[in-house]
Amino acid sequence: MSGWSLFTKECRRVVTGLPFWLLVAALLAFLSTQFMAGLKPLEEPQPGLASYGASDRVDWEKAVPAALQSLAGEYGENRYKTYPFGFVKTVRLKEEGRERMGELLSELTGRSEEELAAAAQPAGFAVGGGERQPDGSFAVQVPQGEETAPSLTLAPGLAREDFVRLMGEADELLGGGSSYAAEKLAGFGREPLRYEEALEQYRQMVEEDRVTGAYARLFCDYMGIPLAVLPAFVAAALWLKDRRAGAREAVWSRRVSSLALTAARFGAVIAAVMGAVLVLAGWMTAVVLAKNGDLSGSLTAFFSYSLGWLLPGVLVSAGVGAFLTECTDTPIAIFVQGAWWYLSLFAGAGDLVGGYGWSLLIRHNRLGGYAEYRAGLVQIAANRLVYALAGLLLMLLTGLVLEQKRRGRFGGMGKALRVHRRCQRAAV
């Protein structure tokens, strides 16, 4: 059997299997509920509007008292909202923890416990309404029309570094994931975006991104979430299919190298998954161009971003699925990749734009953000290259394990296959 015939046969096996269509259904669900739900045309900002959004600039003169007031309010009620894994969790400290929190607040503000209780905000004071903001921070909101207590201030002699350190201790005391972590404190004092800045962002989306590039990054942000885990499910199901059908010996006895057989299967998974992604990319290109009919947009942005941004995640996810399934003959790869995906997803839940790093999931959960993207382009390229190479390496290792099994090692059936092949040659 030629390599192409083997590849097309494996492709048919993938696209006729239930796991592949579950993956397609997940992609459509993310597309409709996340990306398309908030899809709006680009609009040039006009002067004189009340708000143009929040900037990345931080006014620490506002952030410090707002953070202190928020912590004092939660301390008074002993109810702290945290997001340790991306989901809201209410923490209530025991007596020892509550005492330590009081000590931290006293050190931060220079006030006694009684003074802190008096200064705590009344019920109704909230941090971001209990909801995470698009950039992962929490914006302070005080209901209008309600009388609030005097604002707390930093204790004399404490520097901002001390404030950040002590707030970090408060976050650790709560188990992490609170709005008092060092990387979240800026959310208490985000300055509003100025008209000139909003106009520059619009210009970048129209001229530098050519309209569709801005949307393509957001598309990849959402599509990357299911594509970092579900290909492992598709690959594991394909590798287990012969075992379930009792046809493993016949497959292993083919006169084709182990690496060629592995590459055909692996390539079939990648081709099927990325084929579905590129179909959705073409559809979204048409939708975005239709919504921005008066602007000239790129026809290739969704496709190029999908290949550069999403393909490496698909490669490594499918690689984990193939390798661990070949090694163990069990679906353990689904659980391993699922755990990795879960940790990657929620470890970066507070840094949704610009903090690309080395995570399995690189996030850019903002329409536009061209400046952050350009600043992090080298890191993005390095990240994606590492995961693409890791996926290909896992494919090679899968082929090596299969070869050893065909030789009778690792619980393989080498002796039975050798007898089977001799019988075939004798029959000829």
Side-chain angles (χ1 to χ4, degrees):
M1 181 179 291
S2 68
W4 176 252
S5 299
L6 182 59
F7 171 71
T8 55
K9 181 177 181 179
E10 295 296 338
C11 284
R12 286 194 295 271
R13 296 177 73 207
V14 172
V15 299
T16 55
L18 178 61
F20 171 73
W21 290 106
L22 290 176
L23 180 145
V24 172
L27 293 180
L28 288 172
F30 266 79
L31 193 67
S32 60
T33 62
Q34 303 297 319
F35 181 73
M36 296 185 71
L39 198 62
K40 297 178 181 178
L42 300 181
E43 296 181 356
E44 182 174 355
Q46 301 300 315
L49 295 182
S51 173
Y52 299 99
S55 73
D56 292 327
R57 299 186 311 279
V58 180
D59 183 349
W60 287 101
E61 295 296 322
K62 295 180 180 178
V64 171
L68 292 174
Q69 200 72 56
S70 173
L71 183 57
E74 293 190 318
Y75 168 73
E77 296 183 353
N78 195 26
R79 290 172 57 90
Y80 305 84
K81 282 189 176 180
T82 64
Y83 295 77
F85 294 104
F87 300 106
V88 64
K89 175 185 177 182
T90 300
V91 175
R92 291 180 179 272
L93 295 176
K94 294 182 179 179
E95 187 61 32
E96 183 179 350
R98 182 170 169 76
E99 288 179 4
R100 177 54 186 156
M101 186 65 78
E103 292 173 0
L104 288 172
L105 266 170
S106 294
E107 189 173 353
L108 281 161
T109 63
R111 300 195 185 190
S112 65
E113 186 174 344
E114 292 75 15
E115 291 174 316
L116 288 171
Q121 288 284 357
F125 178 82
V127 181
E131 297 179 358
R132 188 180 297 274
Q133 304 302 305
D135 64 352
S137 64
F138 296 81
V140 174
Q141 298 173 352
V142 180
Q144 294 183 354
E146 292 190 15
E147 185 178 349
T148 61
S151 177
L152 292 172
T153 57
L154 200 61
L158 279 185
R160 187 193 303 172
E161 293 75 14
D162 299 316
F163 164 75
V164 173
R165 174 179 57 81
L166 292 170
M167 280 295 197
E169 290 186 29
D171 176 68
E172 292 177 5
L173 189 61
L174 297 173
S178 76
S179 54
Y180 311 116
E183 64 274 14
K184 307 285 181 56
L185 290 172
F188 285 99
R190 296 286 186 195
E191 292 187 1
L193 200 66
R194 293 190 287 262
Y195 165 70
E196 293 78 13
E197 295 171 324
L199 189 62
E200 175 59 19
Q201 290 184 3
Y202 173 79
R203 185 200 67 78
Q204 289 176 345
M205 286 190 284
V206 172
E207 298 179 8
E208 307 293 342
D209 273 329
R210 297 184 61 191
V211 181
T212 49
Y215 291 91
R217 284 192 296 274
L218 188 59
F219 170 82
C220 289
D221 177 76
Y222 287 125
M223 292 296 97
I225 296 174
L227 287 173
V229 63
L230 294 182
F233 181 47
V234 176
L238 180 62
W239 255 257
L240 288 171
K241 185 174 286 189
D242 292 328
R243 180 183 178 89
R244 291 196 303 269
R248 186 165 59 171
E249 287 186 48
V251 172
W252 285 3
S253 64
R254 290 174 178 171
R255 293 182 178 180
V256 61
S257 71
S258 299
L259 184 57
L261 178 58
T262 300
R265 287 187 166 181
F266 189 77
V269 173
I270 302 303
V273 172
M274 289 307 299
V277 171
L278 293 177
V279 168
L280 296 179
W283 177 25
M284 289 302 100
T285 299
V287 170
V288 168
L289 290 176
K291 280 188 173 290
N292 295 275
D294 55 337
L295 298 173
S296 177
S298 169
L299 294 173
T300 61
F302 273 88
F303 300 104
S304 58
Y305 273 98
S306 295
L307 292 173
W309 196 298
L310 299 176
L311 177 57
V314 174
L315 284 169
V316 75
S317 178
V320 170
F323 178 66
L324 292 181
T325 305
E326 188 63 66
C327 288
T328 66
D329 288 324
T330 70
I332 191 174
I334 298 172
F335 303 102
V336 172
Q337 185 64 23
W340 185 15
W341 169 84
Y342 184 82
L343 292 174
S344 297
L345 178 62
F346 295 120
D351 199 357
L352 300 182
V353 178
Y356 304 114
W358 293 102
S359 175
L360 173 65
L361 287 161
I362 50 175
R363 303 301 307 273
H364 191 96
N365 194 244
R366 179 190 298 173
L367 179 61
Y370 180 78
E372 293 88 345
Y373 164 70
R374 289 295 301 177
L377 186 56
V378 172
Q379 180 62 49
I380 294 173
N383 176 297
R384 297 294 84 183
L385 179 61
V386 166
Y387 282 106
L389 292 176
L392 295 175
L393 177 61
L394 287 168
M395 181 198 72
L396 293 175
L397 292 175
T398 303
L400 291 176
V401 172
L402 174 58
E403 179 61 26
Q404 295 305 307
K405 283 188 171 183
R406 294 172 93 177
R407 292 174 183 269
R409 301 185 180 94
F410 304 143
M413 306 181 71
K415 183 176 180 180
L417 289 175
R418 287 194 292 272
V419 173
H420 178 71
R421 286 170 179 166
R422 283 199 297 269
C423 291
Q424 281 187 321
R425 286 195 292 270
V428 175

